[in-house]
Amino acid sequence: MQMICWYQAEYQHQFQQLQTRLAELHVQLDGQVVEKINARFLRLNPDMALVLDEDGLSLAANGMKMQPDWCAEIPRLKRASLKSEMIARACQLGEKPTLVDATAGLGHDSLLMAYLGADVCLVERHPILFVLLEYTKAQAEKDPFLQTFVSRIQLVFADSNVYLQQLAQQNQQVDVVYLDPMFPQRDQNQQAIKKQAQVKKQMQLLHLLLPENGEMDLGDQLLDFARKIAKRVVVKRPRHAIYLADQTPDHQWLGDACRFDAYFAKV
């Protein structure tokens, strides 16, 4: 795999570190020094690339730039509580569970769950998204508020299907496996499809980065693997989406835009 990185000259050292890290993940990173990376430059260079500038490490494409900025989540975290967050009830975060987030995305849900008490293993298979998560975690560790709990998040570079199978083979159990498939099936009802089309900038870039036709992205296999190792599996879905893998959940928590489907281990 190859990727280009645009960077301003003062970030030469950070580029070299990033180049070395991605080589370890089997990605060839080519660099191009740019005098000033601004909105005009991004519009004139619409191809996907990594960017190193005063905002840190970002992914850019189609004139947009995004990063999984955990520091920007602080206001939301400060408002959150075990009672106010539906995800906290679904995942029983008050019991401080061991939790595998098998569909990492930008890591915002994992950050919230760690803040509310969970020990989270955050699994991501795409090398570009993984280094973005590594970068934002390193930035979070420098923040006085985030550093008190971000250590409860462990990043794992792996295919979640393989990772969950390995846990099962080793007879390892966790309290919760959390799934938030990025690409819900296309045969859900029209209302959900319409909402899906109105994705935010960050999700638009993730859709460009990640394959849309893989089974892993739909999450069907993940549910079966997860149920073998977890006391409960919690699946985040658009409110009107069909059940993941057509499996009826044991319980649901319904919100305005999304819901949480829970599958409990059989005693």
Side-chain angles (χ1 to χ4, degrees), residues 30-74:
D30 300 316
Q32 182 177 329
V33 178
V34 177
E35 183 177 344
K36 181 64 178 175
I37 300 172
N38 52 25
R40 182 174 184 273
F41 174 84
L42 294 176
R43 286 197 304 272
L44 294 175
N45 295 272
D47 292 342
M48 181 169 291
L50 288 170
V51 172
L52 274 169
D53 59 10
E54 62 273 8
D55 295 327
L57 178 65
S58 305
L59 179 70
N62 293 343
M64 300 181 290
K65 191 174 71 169
M66 78 89 182
Q67 59 187 175
D69 186 354
W70 289 1
C71 292
E73 294 293 298
I74 291 175

Side-chain angles (χ1 to χ4, degrees), residues 98-203:
T98 55
L99 187 148
V100 174
D101 183 346
T103 48
L106 299 176
H108 294 162
D109 284 345
S110 279
L111 186 68
L112 174 64
M113 291 188 286
Y115 173 67
L116 293 176
D119 286 308
V120 180
C121 178
L122 184 59
V123 185
E124 177 52 52
R125 69 169 180 172
H126 197 289
I128 301 301
L129 184 51
F130 185 77
V131 296
L132 286 165
L133 288 168
E134 279 191 321
Y135 179 85
T136 198
K137 184 173 188 268
Q139 297 305 111
E141 288 167 350
K142 301 173 186 176
D143 182 272
F145 176 75
L146 296 176
Q147 67 184 195
T148 60
F149 63 89
V150 78
S151 60
R152 292 201 286 266
I153 300 176
Q154 174 193 4
L155 296 179
V156 175
F157 180 61
D159 183 309
S160 290
N161 281 317
V162 175
Y163 183 76
L164 294 180
Q165 286 182 79
Q166 288 175 341
L167 290 182
Q169 290 165 0
Q170 297 162 6
N171 294 318
Q172 293 193 40
Q173 294 283 306
V174 298
D175 296 318
V176 182
V177 172
Y178 178 74
L179 302 175
D180 181 11
M182 187 170 297
F183 306 112
Q185 287 91 331
R186 297 301 185 223
D187 55 349
Q188 58 194 350
N189 71 24
Q190 290 301 311
Q191 184 177 354
I193 292 173
K194 188 179 294 184
K195 286 184 178 179
Q196 187 182 353
Q198 300 166 351
V199 289
K200 296 179 181 179
K201 173 176 70 174
Q202 292 178 327
M203 298 309 295

Side-chain angles (χ1 to χ4, degrees), residues 230-241:
K231 295 176 184 176
R232 68 169 53 196
V233 181
V234 175
V235 183
K236 184 179 181 181
R237 303 293 281 164
R239 183 180 172 114
H240 299 284

Side-chain angles (χ1 to χ4, degrees), residues 65-99:
K65 191 174 71 169
M66 78 89 182
Q67 59 187 175
D69 186 354
W70 289 1
C71 292
E73 294 293 298
I74 291 175
R76 179 196 177 197
L77 296 174
K78 289 184 174 179
R79 294 192 303 269
S81 69
L82 290 171
K83 290 185 178 180
S84 66
E85 293 290 340
M86 194 163 51
I87 194 173
R89 298 192 293 276
C91 295
Q92 290 189 317
L93 298 182
E95 297 185 8
K96 302 189 184 306
T98 55
L99 187 148

